[in-house]
Amino acid sequence: MRAQVAEFFGTFWLVLGGCGSAVLAAAFPDVGIGLLGVALAFGLTVLTMAFAIGHISGCHLNPAVTIGLWAGGRFGAGQILSYILAQVLGGLAAGGVLYLIASGQAGFDLAGGFASNGYGEHSPGGYSLTAALICEVVMTAMFLLVILGATDSRAPAGFAPIAIGLCLTLIHLISIPVTNTSVNPARSTGVALYVGDWATSQLWLFWVAPIIGALIGAAIYRYLGASSAQ
């Protein structure tokens, strides 16, 4: 169970670090970190955990990544459910800790979104369901392409965490205005269940789209990787 425990704490750190930066620091008076800071925070959580637990669990931290690695031939089917359960529980635990911290400020209100993902009137930029679906599918597909490529035995050794962390940062820079950026069902679930209402009613998209994107990304890399090996 050590791998699953590692996934729990890794996903806990991703949600606490990424969503925590959005809830607590993004618009802090005068010195708020803004969109760039939140994007960097998400990337840093993955980069740091990849070095910390990559050798224990592979540092998936994301149900879509776990499924994508299985589709890419890098992960056994027998551990998929246990990994996803650990990731979701880690995300929920982080959401709980973040709620306890954030609610200590006078005037805190979950109606502000609590870093939840959304579309339509709940998209930061007012983007439609279709735009959100396309964005999440494409961003997750590219994320899996980078993950599979950076961790390929033929890639330069030791640099995968940096490439993957920077990729997630770039994904957030592109898509925060569209959906508040998910590409990770555990991240979305970890805060949406505390908000309830619209956040849970729209949560389906942030499971379906990342998983579809992960399968597409895995298929692309299986083709590219096999071609380059010939």
Side-chain angles (χ1 to χ4, degrees), residues 192-203:
L193 293 190
Y194 292 91
V195 177
D197 193 26
W198 65 266
T200 50
S201 68
Q202 294 191 355
L203 182 60

Side-chain angles (χ1 to χ4, degrees), residues 32-134:
I33 61 175
L35 185 153
L36 178 60
V38 174
L40 184 59
F42 272 101
L44 288 173
T45 63
V46 171
L47 189 155
T48 52
M49 273 296 152
F51 281 114
I53 67 169
H55 55 288
I56 300 171
S57 69
C59 193
H60 299 187
L61 317 185
N62 181 337
V65 169
T66 296
I67 292 170
L69 290 174
W70 163 76
R74 301 279 188 86
F75 191 68
Q79 294 188 84
I80 290 176
L81 290 179
S82 64
Y83 261 54
I84 291 176
L85 178 61
Q87 292 155 1
V88 171
L89 290 176
L92 288 170
V97 170
L98 180 57
Y99 176 79
L100 291 174
I101 296 171
S103 61
Q105 183 184 45
F108 170 75
D109 188 355
L110 284 172
F114 201 50
S116 294
N117 303 113
Y119 55 84
E121 64 179 310
H122 301 293
S123 157
Y127 288 85
S128 68
L129 167 60
T130 301
L133 175 65
I134 294 170

